Amino acid sequence: MLDHPTAPDMLEAVARLLRDTLIPQLPPAVVFQARVAANAVDLVAREMRLGAQAQDQAHGRLQTLLGQEGSLATLESALCTGLRLGEIAADAPGLQEHLWATTLAKLAIDQPTYAPYRHALEQRATDSVTDLPATTTTTHPKE
């Protein structure tokens, strides 16, 4: 097994190659598709770097919130069912924090340069929230 470069590092290099070298040389008719491809490669790299940790953290929060064991998918389904049936109140302890942390972790992967996401990170840092998922503090290249 190779230590370096890692798969996400190689994907980031491919995205840089597309953006910095190839896109400027492409005919205008295919530039958009090449940018979409570069963004997709970046997204896959972020998923590889951040996805497992985000899922593990969500799984832990859901186990605590629901007081039960199960897969992440099972616990997410149980949360949705409990909310829909009124068995879990919107102000249940830990619910809003779980939803915020999950949303921020997903945005860290999908849209890390999204201005409201960046603002939410700054606000959470200012508020000194200690349960901030590590996935949301990673910096990402501008898409």
Side-chain angles (χ1 to χ4, degrees), residues 59 73 80 88 130:
H59 188 243
C80 292
I88 299 173
T130 58

Side-chain angles (χ1 to χ4, degrees), residues 54-104:
Q55 288 182 350
D56 289 346
Q57 290 174 343
H59 188 243
R61 286 191 307 271
L62 283 169
Q63 286 176 323
T64 300
L65 179 65
L66 300 173
Q68 65 187 54
E69 298 290 321
S71 69
L72 179 58
T74 298
L75 295 175
E76 286 175 336
S77 179
L79 176 63
C80 292
T81 299
L83 288 168
R84 186 175 52 252
L85 297 176
E87 297 167 351
I88 299 173
D91 62 351
L95 176 61
Q96 289 184 8
E97 176 57 30
H98 167 69
L99 296 175
W100 265 113
T102 300
T103 300
L104 291 175

